[in-house]
Amino acid sequence: MRAQGLWGLAWRRLRADRVAMAALAVVLAFLLMVVLSASGLIVADWEEEVGVNYAPPGFAGAAAPAVAPAAPQQALPDNPFDPLADDMRALRAQLAGGAVEMYGVVDPLAADLAALRAAQPAASGGGAAAGAARRATLPFGGDKWGHDIIKKTIKGGETSIVVGLVAALLAVALGTVFGALSGYCGGVVDDFFNWFYSIFTAIPSVLMILTVAAVLQQKGVLTIVLILGLTGWTGPYRLIRAEYIKHKAREYVMAADAIGASHWRRMFGHIFPNISHVALVQMSILVVGFIKAEVILSFLGFGVPVGVVSWGSMLNEAQNELILGRWWQLTAAAIAMALLVTAFSLFTDALRDALDPKVKP
Amino acid sequence: MTLLDVRNLRVAFRVDRTTTTEAVKGVSFSVPRNATVALVGESGSGKSVSSLAVMGLLDPASARIDPASSIRFDGTELLALDGRQRRALCGKDIAMIFQEPMSSLNPVFTVGAQIGEVLRLHLGMRRAEARRRTLELLEEVGLPDPAVKIDAYPSQLSGGQQQRVMIAMAIACEPRLLIADEPTTALDVTIQKQIMELIARLQQRRAMSVLFITHDLGLVAEIADHVVVMRHGEVREAGPARQVLTQPADAYTQALLHCRPSLDKRPWRLPVIADYLDGAAPPPQPERRRGTSPGDPPLLEVRNLSKHFTVRQGWFGKRTFHAVKDVSFTLARGKTLGVVGESGSGKTTVGLTLLRLHQASGGSAVFDGRDLLRMPAREFQAYKRRIQIIFQNPYASLNPRFTVGDILLEPMRIHRIGANDRERMGRVQALLEKVGLPASAVSRYPHEFSGGQRQRIAIARCLTLQPEILVCDESVSALDVSVQAQVLNLLQDLQDELGLSYIFISHDLSVVKYMADQVMVMHQGQVVELADADELYRNPQQPYTRALLAAIPRSG
Amino acid sequence: MLAYIVRRLWQMLPTLLGVVLLVFVLFNWVGGDPAYILAGKMANAESIANIRRQLGVDQPYYVQLGIFIRQIVTFDFGLSWATSEPVSHIIATRLGPSLTVLIPLTVLETLIGIALALVIAFVRGSLTDRAVMIACTVGMSVSILVYIIVFQYGLAYQLGLFPVQGWGERFGENLLRYAALPILIGLAVSVAPTLRLFRSFVLDEVGQDYVRTARAKGLSERRVMWVHVLRNAAIPILTYVMANLPALLIGAFLLERFFGIPGIGREVILAVERSDFPVIKAITVYVAAATMVFNLLTDLLYQAVDPRVKLA
Amino acid sequence: APVKTLRYILPAAEASFDPALGRDYYTGHVTEAIFETLYTYDYLARPVKLAPETAAALPEVSGDGKTYLIRLKQGSYFTPDPAFGGKRRELTVADYVYSWKRLFDPRLASPNAWLLEGKVVGLDALAAQARQTGRFNYDAPVAGLEIIDPYTLRIHLTHTDFNLGMILAYEPLAAVAREVIDKYGDARGEVAGHPVGTGAYKLGEWIRGSRIVLEENTGHRPETWDFQPSVDGDERIVARMQGKKMPQIGRIEISVQLEDQSRWLSFISGGADIFWLEGALSPKALVDGRLRPELAARGIQLSRIVDPELSYYYWNMRDPVVGGFSKEKVALRRAIAMAHDVDEEIRLVLNGEAQRLYFPIPPGVAGHDAQYQPLLRYDPVLANQLLDRYGYRKGADGWRTLPDGKPLVITYTSRNEANGVLMAELWRKTYHRLGIRMANQRMIFSDIQKAETLCKIQTRTYQWLADYPDGDNFMQLFYGGNIGQNNNGCYQDAQFDAWFEASHSMPPGPQRDALYRKMARRIEAQAVVMPAFSRYRNMLAQPAVIGYKKHPILHQEWKYIDIESKD
Ligand code: HEM
Ligand SMILES: Nc1ncnc2c1ncn2[C@@H]1O[C@H](COP(=O)(O)OP(=O)(O)OP(=O)(O)O)[C@@H](O)[C@H]1O
Ligand SMILES: Nc1ncnc2c1ncn2[C@@H]1O[C@H](COP(=O)(O)OP(=O)(O)OP(=O)(O)O)[C@@H](O)[C@H]1O
Ligand SMILES: [Mg+2]
Ligand SMILES: [Mg+2]
């Protein structure tokens, strides 16, 4: 007969909880998506501009003009209000004419360009590179550039989930270790961490973000993770510290001392399982909070670098689109986020219950 | 005229989604009006669970009462009542004293507030009135200095004091049925006597019925009108007290009565149930000799040990309370020092201070030539294997998120006893068997056990280390005589085999008499008498000791 | 106790000093050079040097630090670099609107969180529990940005239930008319995380034996929960609530921006954007002081609610 | 009659109400209403035309463009203030002289000193002395600012300048009263929050950062609406406004609203009377530059102009990768310019709300050439070939390297806000079209300014809004002498600088225009910058607003318009 640990038991109980398992399945599906998209197996081509700008979703059945915007010069219709409309027309006529008046200025590259132009097949002058025809509608619509929203959402999930999970892990880990040390040891250690905590919470987060961003120099997903992780530990810290203060006076901790358990063991072997629910709930709140904080970071311009997409940056883009009635990007990102966050939260709640031996399945 | 009638009560606990285990298997008994019924039986036999079922306090999520069961109180079917109706009864008409007072009190309210709450709720008293009545109650249960203790928090009271608070709370409304689940385990005999008298008075005044759960057969003989004997979730025998105690019909009851330690005899090993259940009475045992001689090698020399607590008064005031004053004694290798004394006299504090779980205020404790109280913490770490304590409140000392297996394995892991977990597990299994717990216990959590079972888990945890000195703080108080005998035998065997020394704190003077070579009597933080056991029992010097010995209940 | 408080107050000095140093270093390192903004779009080296001289940022660091410390001691942070408005005036006038939104928000959030946590902890595992938790989780999974945009459009503009934005001069008007929708939005995002945390705290307590005792006394479930359980769960709840209080002083800039609330949240962002160091300094120091005071208060409260806690 | 009230929205918080410190466009709305300059612009004339404000007439300029004679109208008063003993006080030319000197006060550190720097005889010497001592001696006379009598001023310039009139119409040169400045603190004191001017409005109730109320200055010198129509549609305005007293609107309520959505909902629900429809919102109200029919049906009015603004891309000429005049560097920049689809930028980033611009001087500004033909057109194929030809070879990974084989990465800098991200995304597409790697550096505004001033930014999109509607205000962006000021590309070319200096001695006209064309062609051939577009400005007004027409230079037109009182 093997003593079954807390975690083993928790797992057995989780398996019996249908909601938890469904939630877990959703979370795993998202994680799988992250792995697949990170390894380039899916949606590697999300950046292709497959649809027209703001292609409406196919199911909405909007009959957008099927033509791709042709050479831009022609695409822009004459603006009847334009005070310079006549000038513009004249200008275009001249353009078609060919040679340009140089006003006596020498073009250093004139010869090269002439040679290149001469070598060019006649057709490829002007606009060129129209690319493949773009679709008028996309299954879930397109964004400003005509990217497929589904692919973009999946790709964005990769960033957001990694940011949320890793940053929350970092924040909770820091918060737990600091809180444990602070609450358990008390005295000078507590003073020190409180000092640290006060300083950290006092500095406006924007300044903090600037700092972290400046210290790390390069901007990227890692920076966001660090920004959130390094600024997010304070919440878990206070809570965990309080729990440790409460528990260290309990008799079972005294008993552990009596059998010779080291401080470390008492802190993490004995007390931690009893307060793990706090860390767990914090973890789930922070994951959610961070996925959302990334929205705010994007709003403030500290978001993901250009060429990377995240739910945060999508929501942020969608902010302005929504007033213009282009709801699909916002909806896609919000639904994906809500789905993951809900599943994740339900799962951690169930895990919390499963970890409590007093609760029967 | 029955007040409470329990018929065919079956309670099952869920193990997981599909399996359940039955803890109470069709128990029937009744409590007449104005009578005391004693519920005795083996530890873990379902006594507490049955009484919780009466109170309606089993957690519906984990415990299931069979629908065919019936519990009638004064003609009303309790199991059919809804929450509100039941609450109207609870606390007022039916009250219960819980087995483990220490975790049953709300840690963040003063005891006064907790008792006053019942008075105000059920008797509609005003705040001031309730406080006055609370003071009276505390006085009645013999709490020293009630005017101060009324504003104390549970954690500032000794085990016995907490138990008396529990009692005061239960009798506050003078219920018609009082369920007392081992109400005196943590009380010394003098106080116990006082409490029993108090209950008797109430019984007379209010025609109260009492369902008294206990292991103390001597006590049963003194107070009970009827006795119900339980084992393994079933009633083995029931009947008038005199009849059951003198002419037991059931083999188990007979065995139980035989296992009682007596003040007069000190057999080499205590008899256990198994000895009797086989039918044949065990062979007579040689007498064991106890006592110390000046030549015994001293293992621990305690000199002038003191401990005082600073207690908060209001927001800014504080007061120093001397819990232990100048306690000195010597413990020899392979010997047992019994510590007896009034509840709150500082026994537990001495134990905790020796282990440095409380910081001593003064004195020394020389162990192996080194002063335990003053050595650096790092050095003391090594001594933790050699000196151990079994806490008075076993439940609180068990980590609620550790399985019993983890609890027992951990000390061995810490001190690297045994080559690997498999080997350690072997030892765990062996120990569990010796303390009378099933092997399946390893994967269960502390809250799934009965009070006595938890106590045995705590004992087993200390024994994994085989310390040289073991402080046992009321360690067998929650055990029925048979299991108690089994555990005492185990301790004795270890002492015989390995020469362990015990500091044995108990209020059960017969047990102390059996176990101790030397007895130390404490009163208000001080040692009032310290002598060889036989000497002390034969010829007590101090009036306090004499009073103590006189209060021991004697059956038949 | 008094000694403890004195000791804690005394300990605030090094903390404050740490904050001062950190802010100072941070600002000088990454805070941007205000001179380049103040110099306008035709800045030349000379005018930039002049501005730096006027702002005093050309002084040696120890002199600037000394000035900073003198400012703290005298509670006078001078004028904003960007707008020449006295910093004390900025803080005094912007704090009110922020608090008008945030205090009711925090109070409601805490009360709702506690009440719901107690209720659903009581019916743990039931359908109600699940339903409330799922509803909360879904609610909380939506970003505040989305709430703002949708609620402002739907509730304020389409249905006209609230003003689209704005701020008045009378407190009552602000609270009941202009702050209502921001508070509602704040609740939509904050109740769920609070509730989940509180539920966890409460669940931790309902399994304890003293709850059984309370029930045995015949107390109503409500009393068991609101008095016995709540008092025990109070430590973490207090911690959570108190730890969030200093944040009130920094405001909620998204709400302030969208609803035209002249609060301090916008001011902070603006100050960082404009490298307005006097404002940053002042706010940081105030928030640091508030954080420390709230921490001390929290620890004192611990002691008030839980006798086992010993403050040394 | 009840006071007529106009509700207006500012999209950013106001800053200092001291005109000398004015540096942002939004605060300018308010200072322009409270303080007065000598000159202003005619409300209706297009292209814009200078008009006297407190001056009696346009300045009399000497033939060499070095002496300006200015006469003041009589009867302009500063609003009553404790600084004048609670009474009003008449405006004289000495107030202007004081206000202009103030720009050079080192303690004030005004960002607007450049407007007069190096221009007025004797003023720079006094400024230099002030820099030495740290105190500006306001009492010392300046030879170039000759006060003939309280209503007459003669200005002597150090060199020819035909643009001074426009500069004098610029907000920072408005008159403030010395008593007020002296009373409300030192140079950087609370005077910024205590504006006392001679304008048509004075500051009323004020909640900083949220709400500014302006009330009519009843002591303002009487003015009558009298403007001539200049384009179609003006007749209606003239018909409704001609002969009315100015201002008609007695109270302006300005609310600060930072978010697009809030502003739009405010306006459309009737919470504002005039509203600036910025690019992001324009599709909400406009289709193809025209008001949506449903809005038009509600009577909402649109006034649409091209801002006198130049958006352009620059490359840092001192940068080792993109800068320099060697052929391969020019080729690199030209290739990039040819690969950038400005039309796409206008369509996507600006929602179509901009006009493509090839010439570095925007329409509506003296010197603009609408006929100018660009040398560089969008042609990514050619751009790639050009790079191939100059040795920027594509490696196996598809990315180009420098001719010497070193990796080629170009850093595009933008502000850390939504638009900065969008532009970076667009430029990333451009560079990828060429097989060039692009990094995006996002910084806060002050950091960008600093880096720019120090010539440390590789490439960026920059916007310049006219201070005064003259080509000179734009051409100076590329003048070598302005490196470290606002020649952000740090372009220094002897030929260009010589032309620029020569242009100063020419009054606006065909001769100067010809020179501007050469200058434009030169920077284009060298691919130093690439002019991109000028944005449209769309102003929406509620039906009740009468006579509204957006002016390209004035911040607001409150005193020229009327509103039907609602009751
Ligand atoms: C450090 C850990 C952080 C956590 C746990 C966290 C969590 C949250 C949560 C739960 C919200 C609720 C609103 C929502 O649905 O988005 C929120 C809002 C917000 N967060 Fe964070 N966030 C964190 C960091 C940051 C940082 C670094 C910033 C940077 C400025 C930030 C700025 C904001 C803002 C501006 C709001 C909206 C407040 C309002 O206007 O009501 N947060 N955050
Ligand atoms: N932490 C504490 N703070 C204040 N007083 C305490 C504390 N612990 C114990 N005391 C007091 O010290 C005295 C001795 O307590 P102790 O627990 O040692 O008694 P005990 O002899 O073990 O009694 P019992 O037999 O009832 O367990 C009691 O009066 C108790 O109120
Ligand atoms: N929550 C629970 N889950 C599972 N089993 C339980 C639970 N509570 C009690 N039991 C089991 O029910 C049985 C009866 O327990 P109970 O507490 O009634 O014993 P008891 O007769 O009071 O013993 P003791 O004298 O030791 O207190 C024990 O075997 C115990 O292991
Ligand atoms: Mg029991
Ligand atoms: Mg004790």
Side-chain angles (χ1 to χ4, degrees), chain B residues 44 47-49 99 181-182 213 215 450-452:
Chain B
K47 304 183 294 291
S48 301
V49 170
Q99 188 171 10
D181 194 351
E182 316 215 3
I213 302 173
H215 298 303
S450 79

Side-chain angles (χ1 to χ4, degrees), chain D residues 349-548:
Chain D
V349 180
L350 296 146
N351 282 316
E353 289 304 312
Q355 190 177 79
R356 181 74 169 92
L357 194 63
Y358 297 103
F359 197 68
I361 299 171
V365 174
H368 173 67
D369 180 5
Q371 313 296 323
Y372 184 81
Q373 293 172 49
L375 195 58
L376 306 173
R377 270 175 286 163
Y378 178 57
D379 192 346
V381 177
L382 188 61
N384 268 301
Q385 287 167 344
L386 193 60
L387 288 181
D388 291 340
R389 192 179 186 94
Y390 278 95
Y392 297 91
R393 263 174 295 280
K394 265 192 187 169
D397 56 358
W399 298 110
R400 289 190 192 272
T401 53
L402 285 169
D404 58 9
K406 295 221 180 78
L408 173 57
V409 183
I410 294 179
T411 304
Y412 177 81
T413 303
S414 59
R415 288 186 59 178
N416 50 6
E417 49 164 36
N419 223 38
V421 178
L422 210 54
M423 294 207 291
E425 268 171 14
L426 194 80
W427 273 99
R428 187 162 164 272
K429 280 173 65 178
T430 298
Y431 283 103
H432 284 195
R433 230 172 252 144
L434 291 173
I436 297 176
R437 269 187 248 253
M438 188 197 92
N440 175 218
Q441 184 180 33
R442 269 180 255 159
M443 303 202 276
I444 60 171
F445 187 55
S446 62
D447 283 345
I448 294 186
Q449 286 247 302
K450 180 170 183 175
E452 222 159 37
T453 314
L454 302 176
C455 295
K456 282 197 179 140
I457 283 185
Q458 215 166 22
T459 172
R460 161 165 134 87
T461 307
Y462 192 74
Q463 269 139 13
W464 184 262
L465 182 64
D467 299 302
Y468 49 94
D470 189 77
D472 181 60
N473 193 227
F474 288 88
M475 283 303 181
Q476 51 90 20
L477 291 170
F478 319 111
Y479 175 54
N482 282 346
I483 292 178
Q485 293 194 26
N486 56 10
N487 179 351
N488 297 319
C490 302
Y491 168 62
Q492 187 143 31
D493 180 63
Q495 177 66 71
F496 183 93
D497 289 353
W499 283 340
F500 178 71
E501 281 153 19
S503 76
H504 275 153
S505 56
M506 306 175 185
Q511 190 196 358
R512 198 180 67 163
D513 291 350
L515 189 56
Y516 280 171
R517 274 193 287 273
K518 284 169 90 153
M519 290 160 74
R521 189 61 89 205
R522 184 158 183 94
I523 52 178
E524 195 182 12
Q526 290 172 336
V528 175
V529 298
M530 174 170 170
F533 49 82
S534 301
R535 285 178 293 193
Y536 289 115
R537 174 168 312 223
N538 299 297
M539 301 296 294
L540 297 185
Q542 299 285 5
V545 175
I546 301 168
Y548 182 71

Side-chain angles (χ1 to χ4, degrees), chain C residues 36-56:
Chain C
Y36 287 88
I37 298 185
L38 297 177
K41 51 187 198 171
M42 290 289 271
N44 58 30
E46 209 168 69
S47 61
I48 285 170
N50 178 40
I51 291 174
R52 295 177 60 86
R53 191 159 54 243
Q54 297 306 323
L55 299 180

Side-chain angles (χ1 to χ4, degrees), chain B residues 254-277:
Chain B
Q254 289 164 1
L256 208 54
L257 289 170
H258 280 293
C259 296
R260 226 173 340 162
S262 97
L263 270 177
D264 329 313
K265 288 200 292 282
R266 195 186 274 141
W268 192 255
R269 280 181 65 93
L270 289 169
V272 297
I273 298 279
D275 298 341
Y276 293 92
L277 283 185

Side-chain angles (χ1 to χ4, degrees), chain C:
Chain C
M1 174 59 66
L2 208 59
Y4 174 78
I5 294 177
V6 169
R7 186 173 71 93
R8 285 287 296 263
L9 288 175
W10 177 243
Q11 279 170 356
M12 287 183 186
L13 278 186
T15 311
L16 212 52
L17 202 69
V19 172
V20 167
L21 274 174
L22 194 63
V23 174
F24 191 77
V25 170
L26 285 187
F27 188 85
N28 281 299
W29 186 16
V30 298
D33 194 334
Y36 287 88
I37 298 185
L38 297 177
K41 51 187 198 171
M42 290 289 271
N44 58 30
E46 209 168 69
S47 61
I48 285 170
N50 178 40
I51 291 174
R52 295 177 60 86
R53 191 159 54 243
Q54 297 306 323
L55 299 180
V57 294
D58 61 337
Q59 305 267 349
Y61 283 134
Y62 65 88
V63 176
Q64 293 185 48
L65 198 59
I67 294 174
F68 187 4
I69 289 171
R70 200 184 60 224
Q71 288 175 330
I72 294 172
V73 174
T74 57
F75 288 107
D76 177 9
F77 289 90
L79 303 178
S80 151
W81 286 350
T83 62
S84 306
E85 186 180 356
V87 174
S88 53
H89 186 254
I90 292 187
I91 292 181
T93 52
R94 312 295 200 279
L95 203 52
S98 284
L99 293 182
T100 309
V101 175
L102 290 179
I103 289 182
L105 174 59
T106 309
V107 170
L108 284 177
E109 172 194 329
T110 309
L111 289 184
I112 296 176
I114 289 176
L116 276 181
L118 289 177
V119 170
I120 64 176
F122 177 55
V123 294
R124 164 186 223 172
S126 71
L127 215 60
T128 324
D129 180 15
R130 285 264 155 110
V132 172
M133 289 320 289
I134 292 180
C136 275
T137 315
V138 173
M140 125 183 174
S141 66
V142 179
S143 170
I144 189 164
L145 210 54
V146 178
Y147 275 111
I148 294 180
I149 292 170
V150 173
F151 279 21
Q152 190 179 40
Y153 191 83
L155 300 185
Y157 171 64
Q158 290 281 352
L159 300 179
L161 298 178
F162 304 95
V164 166
Q165 64 94 43
W167 200 251
E169 290 196 76
R170 285 192 315 280
F171 173 73
E173 180 195 13
N174 285 336
L175 180 64
L176 299 176
R177 196 171 136 71
Y178 292 117
L181 186 55
I183 291 176
L184 191 71
I185 291 174
L187 284 180
V189 290
S190 66
V191 162
T194 309
L195 172 59
R196 298 183 57 217
L197 206 59
F198 287 5
R199 171 180 176 268
S200 189
F201 297 150
V202 169
L203 284 183
D204 197 33
E205 294 297 333
V206 288
Q208 306 285 335
D209 275 353
Y210 68 79
V211 177
R212 196 178 66 183
T213 311
R215 295 209 171 111
K217 291 201 276 188
L219 302 182
S220 65
E221 267 320 310
R222 189 173 320 137
R223 191 170 164 87
V224 171
M225 287 314 231
W226 278 95
V227 177
H228 287 259
V229 171
L230 185 54
R231 178 84 177 268
N232 276 280
I235 282 213
I237 291 182
L238 264 179
T239 309
Y240 179 77
V241 175
M242 297 294 278
N244 285 338
L245 288 187
L248 300 193
L249 299 182
I250 314 187
F253 85 94
L254 268 190
L255 291 174
E256 290 171 12
R257 284 178 70 110
F258 273 89
F259 291 100
I261 301 168
I264 203 149
R266 299 189 322 183
E267 219 60 48
V268 174
I269 304 282
L270 213 56
V272 173
E273 260 170 23
R274 290 163 164 177
S275 303
D276 200 342
F277 195 26
V279 178
I280 295 176
K281 279 196 290 198
I283 290 178
T284 313
V285 168
Y286 285 135
V287 172
T291 306
M292 288 182 295
V293 170
F294 283 126
N295 279 352
L296 172 59
L297 225 56
T298 312
D299 285 347
L300 293 180
L301 282 176
Y302 282 173
Q303 158 136 337
V305 296
D306 192 337
R308 288 167 300 183
V309 173
K310 287 209 187 56
L311 301 176

Side-chain angles (χ1 to χ4, degrees), chain B residues 230-262:
Chain B
M230 283 185 70
R231 188 174 192 223
H232 297 323
E234 287 164 355
V235 173
R236 297 297 291 249
E237 187 170 6
R242 181 159 301 277
Q243 183 196 327
V244 174
L245 292 177
T246 53
Q247 295 142 18
D250 187 74
Y252 173 70
T253 318
Q254 289 164 1
L256 208 54
L257 289 170
H258 280 293
C259 296
R260 226 173 340 162
S262 97

